[in-house]
């Protein structure tokens, strides 16, 4: 399998506080990688560095190399805006854009990027809603406000919104932590389905979730990556004592 | 007999209930008293203005002294023109300032801008009029609708800016991040996602400031001045309801006093109608989306 995203010596700071400490990690195409670890271990900050969103926070900075298909997104003269079209993101809290309809929520990324052709836009919106397994539930209310959907539907709407600009990597920052078990199950099913189309990096607090949906898992602690490997190995035979203590629930 | 705890609780509960009732009554009374001026001003203007109101008032120009009848059609149109000019200048500038303060302003400059906006808001409107007089009227060598519009616009900037800033700050940060994560430049996210998402509340803030400047008299006295005929151009003096009311009210003629009352009623109705229409337009726009 080919490595689509390669992280080398990635460091990130909030002001003077170092939150991510020299991470090296690669992601293979069409796989799901779970990032687990206790709160404050830098896992969210880490994935926010992968689409250069971290640096948008005042006083935050990042340094290192992230190669997307071999090109360093932290290279000189690289426009973060262009990077974010190739590496999409779904957030912890479902956040459809206020006062935009279901359709417009999905269409807006393309529309604001300059796509004006209505027929093409419609086609991509429909495709994205199919991909996010939301189409059947919203096909009759595409003009309803996005915020009128249920929490789980809103999160799938956000996934559709991210997919509409056709990224090759999708970052998910605890996408189910605000959802009930049934909506969570739907998103998990969706993640497994989506890896045919995109490479997924998912941060999760839920270790069962990581075990269920990911191919490989990275365990973070205090800004360091303690262990990385195949998910089945991490959860059955961790090499590091700290990983074992965390996955068996003895700390964190 | 020994007093039990439940007796104590019961007694204190009754006391609490009665204190609560007294406090609620006091608050209701305060609210009602606050409404009395509003209701009585509106009632008085209605009572005095309504008899003088007729079709001619809306369609005819003021008559010369000594002739009865005539109307304030030119002043009505003038006020609409001035408020439109003021909004044209004040609303975009105010919203842009609010956007800067909320989305981009950091550190020293933002603090200075915010402080200046608050200072500008507290400057008496007659001083704003004097400033525009010195800047525009003296330069153009005549009173004009443009000068009047600029004065009103200048009055609108700080209120629109600060209300927009506060509303923009209520938009959660993760909405902006979601926009950025779609690969959109920040300015597009700011304009087409953040600002558009709160256009309803922003419009309410704008309407409040429009309502406020619609009745301004002092800044128009030596900028727009006044006239007694139809408007010929934006570089000419223009009449307005507040200035017309002022002129008629201090005149020694009884029928002019009548007309001043009718003008006052007109002004109140105009502001009221503008507010109502915007609200209706906004809520029907929201309904159309559902």
């Amino acid at each position: 399998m080919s490595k689509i995203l390669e992280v080398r010596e990635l460091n990130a700071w909030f002001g003077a506080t170092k939150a991510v400490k020299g991470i090296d990690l690669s992601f293979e195409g069409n796989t799901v990688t779970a990032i687990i670890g206790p709160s404050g271990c830098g896992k969210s900050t880490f994935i926010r560095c992968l689409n250069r969103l971290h640096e948008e926070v005042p006083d935050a900075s990042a340094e290192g190399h992230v190669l997307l298909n071999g090109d360093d997104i932290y290279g000189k003269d690289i426009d973060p805006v262009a990077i974010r079209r190739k590496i999409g993101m779904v957030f912890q809290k479902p956040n459809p854009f206020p006062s935009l309809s279901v359709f417009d929520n999905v269409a807006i990324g393309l529309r604001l990027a300059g796509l004006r052709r209505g027929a093409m836009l419609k086609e991509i919106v429909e495709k994205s809603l199919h991909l996010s397994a939301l189409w059947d539930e919203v096909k009759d209310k595409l003009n309803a406000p996005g915020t009128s959907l249920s929490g789980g539907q809103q999160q799938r709407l956000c996934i559709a919104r991210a997919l509409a600009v056709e990224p090759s990597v999708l970052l998910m920052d605890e996408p189910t932590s605000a959802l009930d078990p049934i909506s969570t199950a739907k998103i998990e099913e969706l993640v497994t389905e989506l890896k045919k189309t995109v490479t997924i990096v998912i941060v999760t607090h839920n270790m069962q979730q990581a075990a269920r949906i990911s191919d490989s898992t990275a365990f973070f602690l205090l800004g360091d990556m303690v262990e990385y490997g195949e998910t089945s190995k991490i959860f059955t035979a961790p090499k590091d004592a700290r990983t074992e203590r965390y996955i068996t629930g003895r700390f964190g | 007999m020994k007093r039990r705890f439940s007796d104590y609780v019961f007694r204190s509960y009754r006391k609490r209930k009665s204190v609560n009732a007294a406090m609620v009554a006091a608050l209701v009374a305060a609210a009602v008293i606050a409404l009395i001026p509003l209701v009585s001003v509106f009632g008085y203007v209605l009572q005095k203005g309504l008899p003088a109101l007729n079709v001619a008032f809306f369609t005819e120009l003021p008559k010369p002294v000594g002739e009865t009848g005539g109307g304030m059609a030119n002043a009505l149109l003038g006020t609409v023109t001035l408020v439109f000019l003021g909004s044209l200048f004040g609303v975009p500038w105010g919203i842009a300032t609010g956007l800067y303060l909320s989305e981009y302003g950091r550190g020293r400059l933002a603090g200075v801008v915010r402080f200046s906006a608050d200072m500008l808001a507290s400057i008496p409107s007659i001083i704003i009029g004097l400033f525009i007089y010195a800047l525009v009227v003296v330069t153009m060598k005549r009173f004009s609708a443009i000068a009047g519009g600029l004065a009103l616009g200048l009055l609108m900037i700080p209120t629109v800016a600060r209300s927009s800033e506060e509303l923009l700050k209520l938009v959660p940060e993760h909405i902006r991040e979601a926009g950025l994560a779609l690969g959109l430049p920040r300015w597009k996210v700011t304009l087409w996602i953040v600002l558009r998402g709160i256009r309803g509340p922003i419009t309410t803030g704008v309407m409040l400031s429009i309502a406020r400047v619609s009745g301004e008299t002092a800044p128009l006295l030596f900028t727009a001045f006044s006239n007694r005929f139809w408007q010929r151009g934006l570089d000419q003096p223009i009449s307005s309801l507040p200035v017309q009311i002022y002129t008629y009210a201090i005149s020694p003629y009884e029928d002019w006093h009548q007309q001043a009352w009718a003008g006052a009623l007109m002004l109140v109705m105009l502001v009221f109608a503008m507010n109502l229409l915007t609200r209706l337009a906004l809520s029907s726009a929201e309904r159309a989306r559902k």
Side-chain angles (χ1 to χ4, degrees):
Chain A
M1 272 193 278
S2 63
K3 290 188 177 15
I4 180 165
L5 205 59
E6 269 186 88
V7 180
R8 290 189 200 148
E9 262 309 294
L10 185 71
N11 296 289
W13 292 265
F14 286 103
T17 316
K18 200 167 183 178
V20 172
K21 302 168 184 168
I23 305 290
D24 289 285
L25 185 58
S26 331
F27 304 95
E28 310 220 321
N30 300 96
T31 60
V32 176
T33 305
I35 299 187
I36 60 170
S39 297
C41 70
K43 54 192 190 306
S44 284
T45 309
F46 171 72
I47 72 160
R48 288 165 60 91
C49 289
L50 302 184
N51 64 345
R52 294 191 61 176
L53 197 59
H54 173 65
E55 65 204 64
E56 296 288 343
V57 177
D59 297 330
S61 58
E63 216 180 80
H65 306 283
V66 177
L67 309 183
L68 176 65
N69 293 318
D71 298 323
D72 190 357
I73 68 168
Y74 278 90
K76 258 188 197 161
D77 308 323
I78 296 286
D79 181 6
V81 170
I83 295 305
R84 295 185 199 123
R85 283 202 65 177
K86 297 180 194 149
I87 306 180
M89 191 165 204
V90 175
F91 296 80
Q92 185 172 355
K93 233 179 110 196
N95 55 1
F97 295 135
S99 76
L100 283 190
S101 67
V102 170
F103 183 93
D104 289 343
N105 256 288
V106 184
I108 193 160
L110 292 165
R111 213 176 251 160
L112 291 184
L115 183 66
R116 287 275 171 273
R117 280 179 46 208
M120 198 170 167
L121 207 57
K122 235 174 167 169
E123 195 180 302
I124 297 176
V125 168
E126 191 173 331
K127 193 180 114 196
S128 308
L129 286 169
H130 274 298
L131 273 175
S132 67
L134 191 60
W135 177 254
D136 290 330
E137 289 160 65
V138 299
K139 62 174 184 247
D140 298 322
K141 42 180 175 180
L142 291 174
N143 289 321
T147 44
S148 70
L149 302 179
S150 76
Q153 288 173 330
Q154 287 188 18
Q155 194 60 301
R156 279 178 285 148
L157 180 65
C158 294
I159 295 175
R161 176 176 72 189
L163 292 173
V165 295
E166 298 179 327
S168 45
V169 178
L170 186 63
L171 309 171
M172 303 178 102
D173 190 359
E174 295 179 44
T176 62
S177 64
L179 304 181
D180 67 276
I182 294 170
S183 307
T184 300
K186 280 189 186 157
I187 302 262
E188 288 185 7
E189 221 174 283
L190 180 59
V191 166
T192 313
E193 192 61 31
L194 280 178
K195 83 177 172 183
K196 291 175 193 158
T197 333
V198 290
T199 303
I200 293 174
V201 183
I202 181 169
V203 166
T204 179
H205 267 297
N206 181 331
M207 279 175 279
Q208 288 84 353
Q209 181 171 72
R212 279 193 297 264
I213 62 176
S214 67
D215 302 297
S216 28
T217 298
F219 172 57
F220 276 51
L221 190 63
L222 300 169
D224 286 311
M225 189 172 74
V226 173
E227 191 167 350
Y228 168 78
E230 259 176 61
T231 299
S232 54
K233 293 219 173 99
I234 292 271
F235 281 95
T236 53
K239 290 190 192 101
D240 195 290
R242 290 169 295 177
T243 316
E244 189 183 353
R245 288 216 309 264
Y246 182 71
I247 61 172
T248 52
R250 268 176 282 168
F251 82 89
Chain B
M1 204 177 82
K2 200 176 168 219
R3 242 170 76 184
R4 287 180 309 181
F5 181 63
S6 59
D7 293 337
Y8 174 75
V9 168
F10 182 64
R11 193 168 302 170
S12 84
Y13 175 67
R14 281 229 300 240
K15 188 181 160 212
R16 254 186 321 119
K17 285 279 271 188
S18 57
V19 170
N20 183 50
M23 288 300 169
V24 169
L27 290 178
V28 169
V32 170
I33 290 168
L35 278 179
I36 287 174
L38 175 70
V39 174
S40 49
V41 164
F42 193 67
Y44 198 60
V45 170
L46 206 63
Q47 183 201 333
K48 287 281 199 174
L50 215 47
L53 218 52
N54 51 36
V55 179
F57 184 83
F58 296 97
T59 56
E60 286 180 22
L61 293 174
K63 285 268 162 65
V65 182
E67 281 183 50
T68 49
M72 285 195 187
N74 61 334
L76 191 61
L77 193 68
T79 280
V80 172
T81 309
L82 283 168
V83 168
F84 178 75
L85 283 176
S87 310
L88 214 58
F89 167 60
V91 173
W93 198 327
I95 291 180
T97 308
L99 276 172
Y100 168 75
L101 288 175
S102 155
E103 309 296 309
Y104 295 90
R106 306 242 185 282
R108 201 63 175 278
L109 180 62
V112 170
V113 172
R114 200 170 286 122
F115 181 71
S116 311
D118 289 344
M119 288 298 286
L120 187 59
S122 59
I123 291 178
S125 57
I126 195 159
I127 309 291
I128 301 284
L130 274 172
F131 170 68
I132 296 293
Y133 175 83
L135 197 73
V136 182
V137 178
V138 170
T139 317
M140 286 176 71
K141 295 197 175 67
R142 63 160 82 101
F143 298 111
S144 67
I146 292 174
L150 282 175
L152 295 187
L154 202 53
L155 282 168
M156 291 175 78
I157 289 174
T159 47
V160 172
R162 294 293 261 137
S163 75
S164 307
E165 182 197 357
E166 294 307 319
L167 290 164
L168 284 162
K169 279 184 172 163
L170 291 178
V171 177
E173 198 52 38
H174 60 78
I175 293 288
R176 295 178 181 87
E177 290 189 338
L180 292 174
L182 287 176
L184 299 170
R186 191 173 273 273
W187 68 270
K188 281 188 180 175
V189 173
T190 303
L191 280 186
W192 303 115
I193 294 174
V194 177
L195 190 61
R196 183 161 73 176
I198 53 166
R199 60 174 181 247
I202 295 256
T203 310
T204 307
V206 166
M207 286 315 294
L208 281 174
S209 86
I210 286 182
R212 188 182 159 268
V213 299
S214 301
E216 282 289 352
T217 319
L220 295 179
L221 283 172
F222 27 77
T223 53
F225 197 60
S226 189
N227 67 26
R228 300 183 60 79
F229 32 82
W230 292 111
Q231 190 55 28
R232 294 228 181 80
L234 295 181
D235 58 343
Q236 301 290 325
I238 190 167
S239 60
S240 60
L241 282 173
V243 175
Q244 197 83 333
I245 293 166
Y246 170 74
T247 315
Y248 276 30
I250 59 169
S251 76
Y253 316 112
E254 186 47 38
D255 61 324
W256 277 25
H257 293 169
Q258 284 299 316
Q259 292 234 328
W261 280 113
L265 179 60
M266 218 30 253
L267 190 56
V268 173
M269 299 301 276
L270 188 72
V271 171
F272 187 66
M274 273 196 297
N275 266 313
L276 206 67
L277 282 176
T278 331
R279 260 153 221 263
L280 282 176
L282 274 175
S283 69
S284 71
E286 288 300 311
R287 253 200 312 280
R289 308 201 61 82
K290 284 179 187 158

